[in-house]
């Protein structure tokens, strides 16, 4: 069964460092997303991406964050200068806009646990 | 008022019990309602989605949406220990694909 894969599974970084989280969405999906989940809190939307551009972003997704689809299979989230409060699980997801729901149902990867020290 | 509210539990039931999980929401524009299952330190796994009001059944799982009450439910029949996980509701307004999430309910099914 197709799945979203994320690497690394765990990343430890020092405050102020740049990190890149990587994702391979399901191959025939066209919408891509990043969500995050701080321990004990709700899953939060960060950004959606379609047709090589950001389609929506939350207030969390400030200038420190960027996304890129560098080739036909990868989708990345970059955090330029990490803060302690960026420590969270980051989930990549993808969806297919050609379904009856127009791609509303999203399929998630296993997540990258980011720890900023 | 929070957009989506979900009792975090924990909920503990014996094997074979019927489980009822619920969420309430405040945004009347929500049209798509999802239930995800999340095992510890894993990603959310889509169980079911429902569009607008009504019921949807898939095996031992039934999802219900009551838009007039802004209340959604997930029922699990004949619960199994393997159903032990956190169950998250998520929803969106249909004009975008951003999902708004509940906190999740932790469920333990005891053999």
């Amino acid at each position: 069964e197709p799945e979203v894969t994320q690497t690394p599974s765990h990343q430890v970084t020092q405050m102020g460092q740049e990190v890149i989280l990587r994702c391979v969405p399901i191959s025939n999906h066209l919408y891509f997303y990043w969500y995050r989940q701080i321990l004990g809190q709700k899953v939060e939307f960060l950004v959606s991406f379609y047709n090589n551009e950001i389609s929506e972003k939350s207030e969390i997704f400030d200038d420190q964050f960027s996304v890129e689809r560098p080739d036909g299979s990868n989708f990345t989230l970059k955090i330029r200068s990490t803060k302690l409060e960026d420590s969270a699980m980051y989930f990549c997801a993808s969806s297919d806009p050609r379904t009856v729901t127009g791609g509303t149902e999203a399929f998630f990867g296993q997540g990258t646990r980011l720890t900023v020290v | 008022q929070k957009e989506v509210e979900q009792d975090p539990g924990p909920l503990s039931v014996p094997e074979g019990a019927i489980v009822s999980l619920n969420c309430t929401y405040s945004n009347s524009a929500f049209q798509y309602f999802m239930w995800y299952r999340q095992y510890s330190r894993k990603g959310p796994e889509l169980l079911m989605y429902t569009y607008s009001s009504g019921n949807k059944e898939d095996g031992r799982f039934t999802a219900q949406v009551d838009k007039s009450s802004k209340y959604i439910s997930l029922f699990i029949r004949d619960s199994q220990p393997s159903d032990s996980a956190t169950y998250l509701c998520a929803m969106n307004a249909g004009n975008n694909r951003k999902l708004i999430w509940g906190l999740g309910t932790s469920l333990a099914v005891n053999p």
Side-chain angles (χ1 to χ4, degrees):
Chain A
E1 187 172 323
E3 60 180 15
V4 176
T5 57
Q6 291 185 243
T7 55
S9 57
H10 190 193
Q11 173 100 43
V12 181
T13 189
Q14 292 209 327
M15 192 168 51
Q17 295 297 303
E18 175 184 287
V19 294
I20 297 176
L21 309 183
R22 303 180 189 279
C23 169
V24 178
I26 294 173
S27 62
N28 61 342
H29 286 186
L30 300 177
Y31 272 98
F32 314 116
Y33 314 86
W34 285 100
Y35 287 80
R36 78 174 185 189
Q37 187 177 31
I38 295 171
L39 189 64
Q41 297 186 23
K42 292 181 178 182
V43 176
E44 300 174 289
F45 170 80
L46 293 178
V47 66
S48 59
F49 191 88
Y50 174 71
N51 202 24
N52 284 319
E53 62 182 20
I54 290 173
S55 50
E56 187 172 2
K57 60 183 181 179
S58 71
E59 59 274 13
I60 303 168
F61 195 88
D62 61 21
D63 292 343
Q64 294 297 318
F65 292 88
S66 62
V67 290
E68 191 178 29
R69 186 154 165 83
D71 53 43
S73 59
N74 292 283
F75 181 52
T76 62
L77 174 69
K78 181 192 289 186
I79 309 175
R80 286 188 183 80
S81 178
T82 50
K83 308 182 188 74
L84 294 176
E85 55 264 36
D86 293 328
S87 295
M89 280 289 283
Y90 286 81
F91 294 110
C92 175
S94 66
S95 67
D96 182 356
R98 295 158 294 190
T99 63
V100 293
T101 67
T104 295
E105 71 273 37
F107 295 85
F108 285 73
Q110 295 300 295
T112 293
R113 179 171 300 280
L114 177 65
T115 303
V116 182
V117 297
Chain B
Q1 186 179 10
K2 295 178 182 176
E3 276 201 288
V4 180
E5 301 212 45
Q6 185 177 10
D7 186 338
L11 186 61
S12 182
V13 301
E15 184 175 353
I18 296 174
V19 176
S20 172
L21 305 164
N22 312 292
C23 290
T24 59
Y25 62 94
S26 58
N27 188 347
S28 58
F30 287 148
Q31 294 185 38
Y32 288 95
F33 304 90
M34 325 278 175
W35 285 97
Y36 284 83
R37 177 173 62 195
Q38 186 176 30
Y39 293 111
S40 180
R41 296 182 177 246
K42 300 292 186 185
E45 172 193 1
L46 179 64
L47 285 175
M48 301 178 69
Y49 74 88
T50 310
Y51 174 69
S52 194
S53 282
N55 293 359
K56 188 172 184 180
E57 188 173 321
D58 184 2
R60 296 185 295 112
F61 298 88
T62 300
Q64 287 186 353
V65 174
D66 181 348
K67 291 193 74 177
S68 62
S69 302
K70 297 190 178 69
Y71 188 88
I72 70 170
S73 301
L74 177 71
F75 297 96
I76 308 174
R77 290 185 300 281
D78 188 25
S79 55
Q80 303 294 309
S82 58
D83 295 328
S84 299
T86 296
Y87 289 80
L88 303 108
C89 62
M91 47 199 80
N92 77 2
N95 58 348
N96 61 49
R97 290 161 186 80
K98 175 177 74 174
L99 290 174
I100 308 299
W101 297 76
L103 185 58
T105 300
S106 175
L107 171 68
V109 181
N110 305 304

PDB file of all heavy atoms in Angstrom, chain A residues 22-34:
ATOM      1  N   ARG A  22      12.545  15.968   5.579  1.00  0.00           N
ATOM      2  CA  ARG A  22      12.285  15.466   4.236  1.00  0.00           C
ATOM      3  C   ARG A  22      11.090  14.522   4.199  1.00  0.00           C
ATOM      4  O   ARG A  22      10.849  13.778   5.152  1.00  0.00           O
ATOM      5  CB  ARG A  22      13.527  14.766   3.690  1.00  0.00           C
ATOM      6  CG  ARG A  22      14.740  15.668   3.681  1.00  0.00           C
ATOM      7  CD  ARG A  22      15.984  14.995   3.137  1.00  0.00           C
ATOM      8  NE  ARG A  22      17.152  15.842   3.366  1.00  0.00           N
ATOM      9  CZ  ARG A  22      17.508  16.873   2.612  1.00  0.00           C
ATOM     10  NH1 ARG A  22      16.784  17.194   1.550  1.00  0.00           N
ATOM     11  NH2 ARG A  22      18.586  17.585   2.906  1.00  0.00           N
ATOM     12  N   CYS A  23      10.426  14.522   3.076  1.00  0.00           N
ATOM     13  CA  CYS A  23       9.204  13.733   2.917  1.00  0.00           C
ATOM     14  C   CYS A  23       9.131  13.252   1.473  1.00  0.00           C
ATOM     15  O   CYS A  23       9.493  13.992   0.545  1.00  0.00           O
ATOM     16  CB  CYS A  23       7.999  14.618   3.256  1.00  0.00           C
ATOM     17  SG  CYS A  23       6.384  13.940   2.834  1.00  0.00           S
ATOM     18  N   VAL A  24       8.658  12.025   1.305  1.00  0.00           N
ATOM     19  CA  VAL A  24       8.297  11.538  -0.018  1.00  0.00           C
ATOM     20  C   VAL A  24       6.798  11.254   0.021  1.00  0.00           C
ATOM     21  O   VAL A  24       6.361  10.285   0.648  1.00  0.00           O
ATOM     22  CB  VAL A  24       9.075  10.272  -0.413  1.00  0.00           C
ATOM     23  CG1 VAL A  24       8.620   9.781  -1.792  1.00  0.00           C
ATOM     24  CG2 VAL A  24      10.578  10.541  -0.403  1.00  0.00           C
ATOM     25  N   PRO A  25       5.979  12.114  -0.589  1.00  0.00           N
ATOM     26  CA  PRO A  25       4.529  11.898  -0.586  1.00  0.00           C
ATOM     27  C   PRO A  25       4.151  10.685  -1.432  1.00  0.00           C
ATOM     28  O   PRO A  25       4.969  10.140  -2.161  1.00  0.00           O
ATOM     29  CB  PRO A  25       3.988  13.193  -1.207  1.00  0.00           C
ATOM     30  CG  PRO A  25       5.102  14.180  -1.119  1.00  0.00           C
ATOM     31  CD  PRO A  25       6.357  13.376  -1.218  1.00  0.00           C
ATOM     32  N   ILE A  26       2.895  10.280  -1.335  1.00  0.00           N
ATOM     33  CA  ILE A  26       2.368   9.217  -2.179  1.00  0.00           C
ATOM     34  C   ILE A  26       2.449   9.678  -3.625  1.00  0.00           C
ATOM     35  O   ILE A  26       2.096  10.826  -3.951  1.00  0.00           O
ATOM     36  CB  ILE A  26       0.928   8.862  -1.754  1.00  0.00           C
ATOM     37  CG1 ILE A  26       0.968   8.257  -0.341  1.00  0.00           C
ATOM     38  CG2 ILE A  26       0.272   7.903  -2.744  1.00  0.00           C
ATOM     39  CD1 ILE A  26      -0.392   8.014   0.278  1.00  0.00           C
ATOM     40  N   SER A  27       2.882   8.784  -4.506  1.00  0.00           N
ATOM     41  CA  SER A  27       3.382   9.197  -5.821  1.00  0.00           C
ATOM     42  C   SER A  27       2.346   9.892  -6.696  1.00  0.00           C
ATOM     43  O   SER A  27       2.700  10.787  -7.453  1.00  0.00           O
ATOM     44  CB  SER A  27       3.953   7.988  -6.569  1.00  0.00           C
ATOM     45  OG  SER A  27       2.943   7.033  -6.786  1.00  0.00           O
ATOM     46  N   ASN A  28       1.081   9.537  -6.655  1.00  0.00           N
ATOM     47  CA  ASN A  28       0.117  10.177  -7.547  1.00  0.00           C
ATOM     48  C   ASN A  28      -0.661  11.300  -6.859  1.00  0.00           C
ATOM     49  O   ASN A  28      -1.636  11.813  -7.402  1.00  0.00           O
ATOM     50  CB  ASN A  28      -0.863   9.146  -8.122  1.00  0.00           C
ATOM     51  CG  ASN A  28      -1.672   8.462  -7.042  1.00  0.00           C
ATOM     52  OD1 ASN A  28      -1.304   8.494  -5.879  1.00  0.00           O
ATOM     53  ND2 ASN A  28      -2.775   7.864  -7.429  1.00  0.00           N
ATOM     54  N   HIS A  29      -0.233  11.674  -5.652  1.00  0.00           N
ATOM     55  CA  HIS A  29      -0.883  12.776  -4.946  1.00  0.00           C
ATOM     56  C   HIS A  29      -0.309  14.103  -5.419  1.00  0.00           C
ATOM     57  O   HIS A  29       0.853  14.201  -5.818  1.00  0.00           O
ATOM     58  CB  HIS A  29      -0.716  12.622  -3.436  1.00  0.00           C
ATOM     59  CG  HIS A  29      -1.584  11.556  -2.865  1.00  0.00           C
ATOM     60  ND1 HIS A  29      -1.688  11.339  -1.514  1.00  0.00           N
ATOM     61  CD2 HIS A  29      -2.412  10.650  -3.456  1.00  0.00           C
ATOM     62  CE1 HIS A  29      -2.529  10.344  -1.293  1.00  0.00           C
ATOM     63  NE2 HIS A  29      -2.972   9.909  -2.456  1.00  0.00           N
ATOM     64  N   LEU A  30      -1.148  15.128  -5.332  1.00  0.00           N
ATOM     65  CA  LEU A  30      -0.750  16.437  -5.845  1.00  0.00           C
ATOM     66  C   LEU A  30      -0.768  17.527  -4.781  1.00  0.00           C
ATOM     67  O   LEU A  30      -0.229  18.608  -4.993  1.00  0.00           O
ATOM     68  CB  LEU A  30      -1.679  16.846  -7.000  1.00  0.00           C
ATOM     69  CG  LEU A  30      -1.697  15.896  -8.203  1.00  0.00           C
ATOM     70  CD1 LEU A  30      -2.708  16.386  -9.236  1.00  0.00           C
ATOM     71  CD2 LEU A  30      -0.315  15.764  -8.828  1.00  0.00           C
ATOM     72  N   TYR A  31      -1.448  17.272  -3.658  1.00  0.00           N
ATOM     73  CA  TYR A  31      -1.437  18.220  -2.543  1.00  0.00           C
ATOM     74  C   TYR A  31      -0.485  17.699  -1.473  1.00  0.00           C
ATOM     75  O   TYR A  31      -0.502  16.504  -1.153  1.00  0.00           O
ATOM     76  CB  TYR A  31      -2.836  18.366  -1.929  1.00  0.00           C
ATOM     77  CG  TYR A  31      -3.678  19.425  -2.581  1.00  0.00           C
ATOM     78  CD1 TYR A  31      -4.624  19.091  -3.539  1.00  0.00           C
ATOM     79  CD2 TYR A  31      -3.535  20.769  -2.232  1.00  0.00           C
ATOM     80  CE1 TYR A  31      -5.396  20.068  -4.138  1.00  0.00           C
ATOM     81  CE2 TYR A  31      -4.302  21.748  -2.831  1.00  0.00           C
ATOM     82  CZ  TYR A  31      -5.230  21.389  -3.787  1.00  0.00           C
ATOM     83  OH  TYR A  31      -5.998  22.360  -4.384  1.00  0.00           O
ATOM     84  N   PHE A  32       0.287  18.609  -0.927  1.00  0.00           N
ATOM     85  CA  PHE A  32       1.254  18.236   0.105  1.00  0.00           C
ATOM     86  C   PHE A  32       1.110  19.196   1.288  1.00  0.00           C
ATOM     87  O   PHE A  32       0.786  20.381   1.090  1.00  0.00           O
ATOM     88  CB  PHE A  32       2.681  18.281  -0.443  1.00  0.00           C
ATOM     89  CG  PHE A  32       2.816  17.627  -1.780  1.00  0.00           C
ATOM     90  CD1 PHE A  32       3.173  18.363  -2.904  1.00  0.00           C
ATOM     91  CD2 PHE A  32       2.556  16.272  -1.944  1.00  0.00           C
ATOM     92  CE1 PHE A  32       3.276  17.764  -4.147  1.00  0.00           C
ATOM     93  CE2 PHE A  32       2.655  15.665  -3.187  1.00  0.00           C
ATOM     94  CZ  PHE A  32       3.009  16.415  -4.294  1.00  0.00           C
ATOM     95  N   TYR A  33       1.362  18.658   2.469  1.00  0.00           N
ATOM     96  CA  TYR A  33       1.127  19.429   3.693  1.00  0.00           C
ATOM     97  C   TYR A  33       2.229  19.161   4.712  1.00  0.00           C
ATOM     98  O   TYR A  33       2.829  18.089   4.721  1.00  0.00           O
ATOM     99  CB  TYR A  33      -0.197  19.013   4.350  1.00  0.00           C
ATOM    100  CG  TYR A  33      -1.375  18.884   3.427  1.00  0.00           C
ATOM    101  CD1 TYR A  33      -1.615  17.702   2.745  1.00  0.00           C
ATOM    102  CD2 TYR A  33      -2.259  19.945   3.238  1.00  0.00           C
ATOM    103  CE1 TYR A  33      -2.694  17.564   1.898  1.00  0.00           C
ATOM    104  CE2 TYR A  33      -3.344  19.820   2.393  1.00  0.00           C
ATOM    105  CZ  TYR A  33      -3.557  18.623   1.730  1.00  0.00           C
ATOM    106  OH  TYR A  33      -4.628  18.496   0.886  1.00  0.00           O
ATOM    107  N   TRP A  34       2.402  20.129   5.572  1.00  0.00           N
ATOM    108  CA  TRP A  34       3.149  19.924   6.809  1.00  0.00           C
ATOM    109  C   TRP A  34       2.252  20.324   7.982  1.00  0.00           C
ATOM    110  O   TRP A  34       1.601  21.380   7.954  1.00  0.00           O
ATOM    111  CB  TRP A  34       4.438  20.741   6.845  1.00  0.00           C
ATOM    112  CG  TRP A  34       5.517  20.178   5.974  1.00  0.00           C
ATOM    113  CD1 TRP A  34       5.872  20.606   4.734  1.00  0.00           C
ATOM    114  CD2 TRP A  34       6.395  19.083   6.279  1.00  0.00           C
ATOM    115  NE1 TRP A  34       6.904  19.840   4.242  1.00  0.00           N
ATOM    116  CE2 TRP A  34       7.254  18.904   5.165  1.00  0.00           C
ATOM    117  CE3 TRP A  34       6.556  18.233   7.378  1.00  0.00           C
ATOM    118  CZ2 TRP A  34       8.226  17.912   5.122  1.00  0.00           C
ATOM    119  CZ3 TRP A  34       7.530  17.256   7.333  1.00  0.00           C
ATOM    120  CH2 TRP A  34       8.357  17.102   6.213  1.00  0.00           C
TER     121      TRP A  34
END
